Amino acid sequence: MPGKGIIAVISGFSGAGKGTVVNELVNKYGYAVSISATTRPPREGEEEGKNYFFKTKEEFKQMVKEGRFMEYARYVDNYYGTPKDYVYSQINNGRDVLLEIEMQGAMQVKKNFPDVTLVFITPPHVAELKRRLLKRGTETEDIINKRIARAAEECSYMKDYDYIIVNDGLEECVEQVHCLLTALHFTKNNQQQLIEDISRDFKGYNG
């Protein structure tokens, strides 16, 4: 896509399939995914600038002080955040950037960057969400029920998102998100340069 890229936040309930959707968008259409900064140490196989930007707590706090994050939060004893520099370097090179973050982080981004688009991925109903969580086979039913209870609380965030997309089939969901993000390039907010260019062209027309 020519011109400047767009930024879209992708959120959803645990088990809604948002991570899989994002991976498919990256693999099929070449979207960029924001790389988070973190103060936790690298795990085996993780690479600087590919999985995370690894920072000391002092470096991270300095970045906060300088306003270099789109959003950040503390989990347990470590900090995580979305660096502005990386995201803006990507969109300035014409790439669309996806931020796969949870709801509170999304609200923080929208507050600080109103032009960012928020997309919420949801299963068609709670029974399907539970089926997907059970299919993972990695958690007890007690943990799964806690995730569903958490999802029930997170429903309150849905009204604050710009677009809601039902993931009732991976391929269809990926295509719907891709079509949506493609269409965003043609909104008036993303066509300001074209508006100026066309207006200037008419003013200078003598034919």
Side-chain angles (χ1 to χ4, degrees), residues 10-18 21 103 119-126 128-129 132 151 154-155 158 161 163-169 173 176-177:
I10 309 291
S11 304
F13 308 123
S14 175
K18 60 187 179 297
V21 170
M103 292 77 166
V119 180
F120 195 96
I121 306 292
T122 179
H125 43 70
V126 67
E128 175 61 14
L129 179 63
R132 292 177 188 178
E154 291 172 339
C155 283
M158 294 176 72
Y161 278 70
Y163 300 94
I164 312 294
I165 295 183
V166 176
N167 182 9
D168 198 16
C173 183
Q176 288 173 340
V177 176

Side-chain angles (χ1 to χ4, degrees), residues 88-104:
Y88 279 90
S89 71
Q90 294 296 312
I91 66 169
N92 287 334
N93 285 324
R95 297 191 72 189
D96 294 339
V97 181
L98 307 179
L99 280 62
E100 186 190 337
I101 52 180
E102 44 74 42
M103 292 77 166
Q104 290 178 327

Side-chain angles (χ1 to χ4, degrees), residues 112-190:
N112 295 327
F113 305 90
D115 289 341
V116 169
T117 298
L118 304 186
V119 180
F120 195 96
I121 306 292
T122 179
H125 43 70
V126 67
E128 175 61 14
L129 179 63
K130 184 168 185 178
R131 187 193 71 79
R132 292 177 188 178
L133 290 169
L134 286 168
K135 188 179 178 181
R136 286 177 175 178
T138 57
E139 297 169 331
T140 65
E141 187 155 358
D142 181 56
I143 295 295
I144 288 171
N145 287 333
K146 287 180 180 178
R147 288 194 181 278
I148 291 173
R150 174 62 177 164
E153 296 173 359
E154 291 172 339
C155 283
S156 63
Y157 286 103
M158 294 176 72
K159 69 183 186 303
D160 297 316
Y161 278 70
D162 300 306
Y163 300 94
I164 312 294
I165 295 183
V166 176
N167 182 9
D168 198 16
L170 178 60
E171 186 173 340
E172 183 180 12
C173 183
V174 169
E175 292 307 309
Q176 288 173 340
V177 176
H178 174 60
C179 288
L180 166 63
L181 298 181
T182 299
L184 291 176
H185 283 272
F186 304 101
T187 63
K188 64 181 180 181
N189 287 342
N190 288 319

Side-chain angles (χ1 to χ4, degrees), residues 61-70 84-85 113:
K61 289 177 180 178
Q62 183 61 34
M63 290 176 72
V64 171
K65 190 180 296 184
E66 294 171 358
R68 292 171 59 192
F69 287 113
M70 298 187 73
K84 285 193 289 189
D85 289 351
F113 305 90

